[in-house]
Amino acid sequence: KPREPEKRITAKGARGRWKNIDRTSGRKREVTVNNVTVVFTEFQPKVKRSPSSDVS
Amino acid sequence: SAETDSAQGRDQEFDLELKPHPDEPIRDLKYIKAPGVASVEHISTYLALRGTLDWGFSGDGPGSSKPGHFAIYIPLPSGGYSLLNSSWSLKDVHERHWRQNKPIELFFLWKRSQ
């Protein structure tokens, strides 16, 4: 039998979903504490556009 | 095994909503994705680093010349907030306090050093 690929075990539901967050705005920044470096990705809220008013 | 746990920690990522504690004068939210191995101290350090750019305060803290740090809290189901141990990883926080299908809500509060 062919071996099934190992499944990456992830904490299901740990991500959840943000609402009204612009996922294309992610900026990565490294933080080092006690010689351990991790990468944080910060996102910005979606900017609500106000309806443009006609100027006559 | 520890190696497997470590690998799992590296594979896991968590969405965080960093909100100001009610006693925190800074009223700003941050939406961050971080690996499961990131510690509470990493989060505190990140906020301190970003604070100088986003909130305009010096490395010593908002409006203070004294050193300090950001304490990180998690909301309790019964109300109130629980101070998180700085050595805990996000994976630990999720397993102990946040077994929910939504981003982890954390609250920050600047604490001046004595």
Side-chain angles (χ1 to χ4, degrees):
Chain A
K1 289 182 180 180
R3 287 186 64 184
E4 290 183 359
E6 287 185 2
K7 294 181 181 179
R8 287 181 64 178
I9 299 173
T10 59
K12 189 175 183 181
R15 296 284 300 275
R17 300 308 296 177
W18 287 312
K19 295 181 180 179
N20 299 320
I21 298 299
D22 182 5
R23 288 235 172 220
T24 64
S25 65
R27 295 190 64 179
K28 295 182 183 293
R29 295 181 177 91
E30 291 186 352
V31 176
T32 300
V33 174
N34 297 329
N35 294 323
V36 176
T37 301
V38 298
V39 177
F40 287 84
T41 306
E42 183 171 348
F43 299 89
Q44 300 299 319
K46 288 183 180 177
V47 178
K48 292 183 180 180
R49 291 187 176 183
S50 58
S52 58
S53 57
D54 292 334
V55 178
S56 59
Chain B
S1 65
E3 190 173 327
T4 303
D5 290 343
S6 176
Q8 289 181 7
R10 282 198 297 271
D11 288 339
Q12 292 175 340
E13 283 193 317
F14 295 85
D15 288 348
L16 310 177
E17 284 187 15
L18 298 182
K19 302 178 179 180
H21 187 277
D23 296 337
E24 174 58 60
I26 297 172
R27 311 309 297 176
D28 191 19
L29 279 68
K30 288 199 174 295
Y31 302 92
I32 295 170
K33 182 175 67 175
V37 295
S39 68
V40 172
E41 190 170 359
H42 277 105
I43 297 172
S44 178
T45 302
Y46 179 83
L47 284 174
L49 293 173
R50 293 306 307 165
T52 57
L53 296 174
D54 294 342
W55 302 324
F57 64 82
S58 68
D60 290 336
S64 172
S65 60
K66 296 182 179 179
H69 68 282
F70 277 107
I72 307 297
Y73 297 82
I74 196 162
L76 298 172
S78 56
Y81 303 88
S82 175
L83 177 64
L84 295 178
N85 189 309
S86 61
S87 64
W88 284 4
S89 67
L90 283 178
K91 185 173 178 292
D92 293 333
V93 172
H94 181 263
E95 288 181 352
R96 297 182 192 199
H97 289 290
W98 198 265
R99 302 192 70 85
Q100 302 178 56
N101 186 25
K102 61 180 184 177
I104 302 175
E105 289 181 24
L106 298 175
F107 290 79
F108 59 86
L109 176 64
W110 180 257
K111 294 278 194 179
R112 293 193 183 94
S113 298
Q114 296 296 328

